[in-house]
Amino acid sequence: MGLVEARNLPSHVAIIMDGNGRWAQLRGLPRAAGHREGSKAVRRIVRAARRLGLKALTLYAFSEQNWARPEDEVDALMGLLRDYLLSERNEILENGIRLNAVGNLGRLPALVRAVLDPLRRETSDNSQMTLTLALSYGGREEIADAAKEIARRAVSGDIDPEDVTPETMHSLMPSLKSGDPDLVIRTGGERRISNFLLYGLAYAELHFADVLWPDFSEADLHEAIASYQLRERRFGLVGSGATVTRIAI
Ligand code: FPP
């Protein structure tokens, strides 16, 4: 595993896969070519995550805001998504991976739903690793949906507004069914969160990689995890001093 320690692995890693467009632009290619290369990186990183033994991997594949991109780019992304699900189906089944999807799935075209829905059903009892694709996803939208559900329950008398806690909200977040993300990686050099997993990010460690997503390698994933393993997570409590010692020696 090189840099990575087998113990103290993050349980849930989430990735903002950014930089496909620039990868293509640098080569004078259409943006769709960058997404095609990006889907090869998805295959590579899902395999690497499985080899490491991560329990959950969440990939930001398409945001709610991405629908406003040019139609041919949206179509290319939907086609790649379908191709990915079709080509990886056997490997997902053979390796005990649970394939999940979060977001406004009702907006996805039928050609994607036709392969996504059966695969979600067929893998729902798998437990080696949960691979969650965030599709037509927005963090604010997910929070608003949870608020809507709580309001409905309050109106129907199923919940007293005074009893609403952070845990109530958490239980209504589909993106956090595998637990909060421990480590969020963003590729492509930008340092922002772009409406990803907002509620679950409370105590996540963030890693920004300058490499464009199509070039993101297994070694880059290991580097991100190794950097996570050097950090001391405090969850709002006081530290153990371990980090200070490490810096001093
Ligand atoms: C952001 O790069 C990336 C996306 C909007 C889509 C991510 C999709 C894939 C990696 C491929 C298909 C997904 C799967 C799961 C097979 P960008 O286009 O915003 O890049 P830029 O910032 O360089 O323009």
Side-chain angles (χ1 to χ4, degrees):
M1 283 191 199
L3 293 169
V4 175
E5 285 180 60
R7 58 175 188 88
N8 188 29
L9 277 175
S11 167
H12 182 179
V13 174
I15 308 184
I16 302 173
M17 308 181 288
D18 193 24
N20 295 349
R22 277 165 287 160
W23 185 94
Q25 202 178 7
L26 282 168
R27 289 159 180 80
L29 297 170
R31 292 178 60 82
H35 294 313
R36 198 170 317 117
E37 203 61 25
S39 66
K40 291 187 197 161
V42 170
R43 289 182 174 86
R44 185 160 71 232
I45 295 307
V46 170
R47 287 192 187 123
R50 190 171 50 71
R51 270 196 292 273
L52 279 172
L54 301 186
K55 290 315 290 175
L57 176 69
T58 298
L59 300 176
Y60 202 5
F62 195 84
S63 75
E64 186 75 344
Q65 289 67 34
N66 287 155
W67 291 112
R69 291 193 176 199
E71 199 180 322
D72 60 340
E73 184 174 345
V74 171
D75 289 349
L77 278 165
M78 293 301 140
L80 285 168
L81 192 55
R82 180 184 160 90
D83 291 348
Y84 173 79
L85 294 169
L86 286 171
S87 71
E88 300 308 284
R89 186 176 176 281
N90 285 345
E91 195 168 320
I92 286 173
L93 289 168
E94 280 162 16
N95 287 291
I97 294 175
R98 177 173 189 195
L99 192 276
N100 199 6
V102 292
N104 188 355
L105 305 182
R107 283 190 84 178
L108 296 173
L111 76 118
V112 171
R113 293 298 295 266
V115 287
L116 178 64
D117 295 348
L119 197 52
R120 287 174 74 196
R121 274 195 303 275
E122 280 175 275
T123 62
S124 62
D125 291 331
N126 288 352
S127 58
Q128 285 304 306
M129 179 174 95
T130 299
L131 169 62
T132 301
L133 301 178
L135 298 171
S136 191
Y137 175 85
R140 286 185 171 176
E141 287 78 357
E142 187 180 31
I143 292 171
D145 284 346
K148 243 182 264 175
E149 176 57 23
I150 288 173
R152 270 189 224 109
R153 291 182 190 179
V155 167
S156 65
D158 291 332
I159 192 168
D160 180 340
E162 293 307 318
D163 293 336
V164 175
T165 62
E167 289 71 30
T168 320
M169 287 287 286
H170 196 286
S171 70
L172 294 169
M173 302 277 164
S175 69
L176 306 179
K177 286 282 176 274
S178 305
D180 288 351
D182 300 296
L183 169 65
V184 177
I185 300 170
R186 180 179 186 131
T187 64
E190 311 282 6
R191 270 106 176 112
R192 56 175 170 261
I193 291 302
S194 300
N195 206 17
F196 190 41
L197 305 183
L198 296 181
Y199 199 81
L201 282 180
Y203 293 104
E205 296 293 334
L206 307 179
H207 179 89
F208 298 100
D210 288 331
V211 53
L212 301 173
W213 174 251
D215 294 327
F216 195 72
S217 65
E218 182 162 17
D220 292 319
L221 176 68
H222 289 183
E223 190 180 317
I225 293 176
S227 118
Y228 164 90
Q229 292 180 322
L230 286 175
R231 303 182 196 184
E232 185 192 26
R233 302 187 75 196
R234 291 200 288 271
F235 300 95
L237 308 174
V238 292
S240 66
T243 304
V244 175
T245 311
R246 199 161 29 226
I247 291 165
I249 54 173

